[in-house]
Amino acid sequence: MEHEIKDVTILGAGPTGLFGLFYCGMRGASAQVIDALSQSGGQLTALYPEKYIFDVAGFSKILAKDLVRSLETQAAQFGEPVHLNQHVTALEEHDGHFVLVTETDRFPTRSLVLAAGIGAFSPRRLPQAVAEPWYGKGIQDRVLDPEQYRGKRVIIIGGGDSAFDWAQQLRGIAESISLVHRSDRFRAHASTVADVLASVDSGSTRLFTFHELHDIHSDGDYFHSVTLRHMKSKELAQVQCDVILPMLGFVSDLGALTEWGLRLENDEIVVDSQMETGRAGIYSAGDICTYPGKLKLIATGFAEAATAVNQAVHWVYPDKKVAPGHSSNMAVFGQKDD
Ligand SMILES: Cc1cc2nc3c(=O)[nH]c(=O)nc-3n(C[C@H](O)[C@H](O)[C@H](O)COP(=O)(O)OP(=O)(O)OC[C@H]3O[C@@H](n4cnc5c(N)ncnc54)[C@H](O)[C@@H]3O)c2cc1C
C-alpha cells in the first residue's frame, strides 16, 4: 500500500518519536510515525511499562505506560497517524523526496526524523531448546500487567535490572517467586538487589545462583515445574512453577539503517547540533543519535525531537523559521488570532 506523502516522517514511536509527532502538528507540518512494534512507546512500553520514572520534567513520578498515554494524547490532537506493525526495511529517494519501505507498505515523505532508539528490538530468548515450545504458553518475556501473575508461582531468570525489578514488584502478587541466575554477580540497581536479597533472607523469595534452566515438566498444555541445574556441581533441583519470566535483556537490530549513507559511530547516528545526519533532509533524535556529551534519556530525546522537527520543517518549507515561537502564544492552540 502506498500512503500519501507527508512533510515529516518519524521512524520510531518511542517517547522521542511521539513528542516529535506533536511538534510537527504544532508547526503546521503534515506528519506520520512508523514503528515495528504493535504498541507505541518504544522501550517504555516494551521493557518497563509498570515502572515509575522520576526524571521527566513536570512529574515527580509517572508510570512509563502513563507517560506513553499522555504522549499519545498530546500527539493525537493534530490527527496525524501512527502506523504500527510496520518494520522499516529500506529507504528510497526519488525526485527530491524519500520513501520509507516496510514489508507491506510504502511511506513517501519530504523529510525524515530517525528516532529508532536502539533499533527494532526483541527480548533475548532462553538458549535451552526445551523452552522454545512454551513461549506464549507459560514463558513470557514481557510483563505487561503484573495482575496477570496474581496467585501464580513465578520463576524469574536473569540477574539484571528487569529481573530484580520484577522480583521486587511481583512480591505480594505472585504466590511464590524464585530468581534464577547463572552467577552470583548481579547487574541491577544496588538498592533493588539489597531489597530482593533481604526478601530471600526472610524466606519470601527463593534465589538460585549459579543455576540454569534444565527441563520443563508439564501435564499437557500447562507446565507445573522445572528442573534447574547447578552450573558447577551439575546437581538438579526441582521447582514448582506456573510461569517463567526470562529477563535476559534484549537484542536490537539497527538493520537497514546502517545502509542509508549516514555517519555511524558504534551503531549510533552521528548528528550535529541541528540534529542533521549528514544526509540532506534526514535528521535524528533520541537514543539512536550521538554527539559529544550525549545523554540517553527521555528528557534529552524530547529536546532533540524539537530541534530535529524544527529543522526538518524549515528544510521542507524554507520560509518557515526554525524557531517555533512559544506554544503559549500560538493560534494553533487558540491563543492568538493570526
Ligand atoms: C529498564 C529501563 C529503564 C529506564 N528508565 C529511564 C528513566 O527512568 N529515565 C529516563 O530518562 N530514561 C530511562 N530509560 C531510557 C529511555 O527509555 C530511553 O532513553 C528512551 O526510551 C529513548 O526513547 P527513543 O524514542 O529515542 O527510543 P525507543 O524508546 O527505543 O523507541 C524507538 C522505537 O523505534 C522503533 N524502531 C526501531 N527500528 C525500527 C525499524 N527499522 N522499523 C520500525 N520501527 C523501528 C522501535 O520499535 C521502538 O519502538 C530506561 C530504559 C530502560 C531499558
Side-chain angles (χ1 to χ4, degrees), residues 1-320:
M1 175 181 174
E2 178 104 8
H3 294 258
E4 64 174 303
I5 191 164
K6 297 287 187 182
D7 294 330
V8 185
T9 295
I10 300 170
L11 172 48
T16 306
L18 290 173
F19 188 62
L21 184 63
F22 158 76
Y23 229 93
C24 290
M26 190 177 96
R27 292 303 318 264
S30 64
Q32 60 194 345
V33 173
I34 304 172
D35 203 293
L37 297 174
S38 58
Q39 291 171 286
S40 59
Q43 295 173 50
L44 285 72
T45 302
L47 302 176
Y48 59 106
E50 296 292 339
K51 288 186 74 169
Y52 279 108
I53 303 170
F54 298 87
D55 58 350
V56 175
F59 296 97
S60 324
K61 66 173 188 176
I62 184 165
L63 280 175
K65 67 177 182 187
D66 291 341
L67 178 61
V68 171
R69 201 170 303 133
S70 293
L71 287 163
E72 287 170 338
T73 305
Q74 187 184 31
Q77 61 190 306
F78 299 106
E80 297 290 6
V82 177
H83 301 281
L84 298 172
N85 296 310
Q86 295 281 353
H87 188 161
V88 173
T89 52
L91 173 68
E92 298 173 4
E93 194 166 359
H94 306 281
D95 306 328
H97 74 270
F98 303 100
V99 181
L100 278 181
V101 183
T102 69
E103 283 104 348
T104 53
D105 292 23
R106 295 171 60 80
F107 298 91
T109 184
R110 298 184 180 92
S111 69
L112 268 171
V113 174
L114 304 176
I118 45 180
F121 58 91
S122 49
R124 183 172 282 116
R125 292 173 92 83
L126 284 161
Q128 293 84 4
V130 69
E132 206 53 40
W134 293 102
Y135 269 86
K137 294 195 301 179
I139 298 186
Q140 288 152 11
D141 45 24
R142 283 195 291 157
V143 178
L144 294 177
D145 177 11
E147 279 303 315
Q148 230 182 309
Y149 306 104
R150 185 163 292 282
K152 298 265 166 64
R153 300 165 300 177
V154 175
I155 289 189
I156 299 172
I157 302 180
D161 274 315
S162 298
F164 273 83
D165 284 349
W166 288 120
Q168 187 182 48
Q169 292 186 31
L170 292 178
R171 203 184 306 147
I173 297 177
E175 181 186 312
S176 66
I177 297 173
S178 305
L179 184 59
V180 179
H181 185 43
R182 289 165 61 95
S183 87
D184 62 353
R185 287 198 307 274
F186 309 118
R187 302 174 315 280
H189 198 279
S191 65
T192 319
V193 172
D195 176 75
V196 171
L197 293 183
S199 79
V200 171
D201 287 344
S202 71
S204 52
T205 302
R206 292 180 79 186
L207 176 64
F208 294 88
T209 49
F210 297 107
H211 277 79
E212 62 180 358
L213 179 69
H214 180 66
D215 206 355
I216 297 179
H217 311 287
S218 70
D219 290 327
D221 281 350
Y222 299 96
F223 56 74
H224 50 73
S225 60
V226 298
T227 302
L228 304 175
R229 185 171 62 173
H230 195 279
M231 312 275 299
K232 294 175 180 169
S233 71
K234 308 295 179 204
E235 266 177 52
L236 302 177
Q238 192 143 346
V239 181
Q240 307 292 313
C241 70
D242 311 298
V243 180
I244 302 172
L245 304 177
M247 297 287 158
L248 306 173
F250 46 88
V251 284
S252 61
D253 179 18
L254 270 194
L257 267 73
T258 57
E259 294 150 22
W260 295 354
L262 310 168
R263 279 174 291 157
L264 296 175
E265 214 173 81
N266 301 324
D267 272 354
E268 289 161 348
I269 300 170
V270 179
V271 292
D272 60 18
S273 60
Q274 300 174 358
M275 298 293 128
E276 290 176 348
T277 61
R279 190 166 165 187
I282 305 185
Y283 304 83
S284 184
D287 274 15
I288 194 161
C289 74
T290 190
Y291 49 82
K294 166 80 183 186
L295 297 175
K296 289 192 182 188
L297 290 172
I298 295 163
T300 44
F302 288 163
E304 291 161 8
T307 301
V309 166
N310 281 308
Q311 292 293 340
V313 168
H314 176 65
W315 192 79
V316 175
Y317 299 108
D319 54 319
K320 283 189 186 248

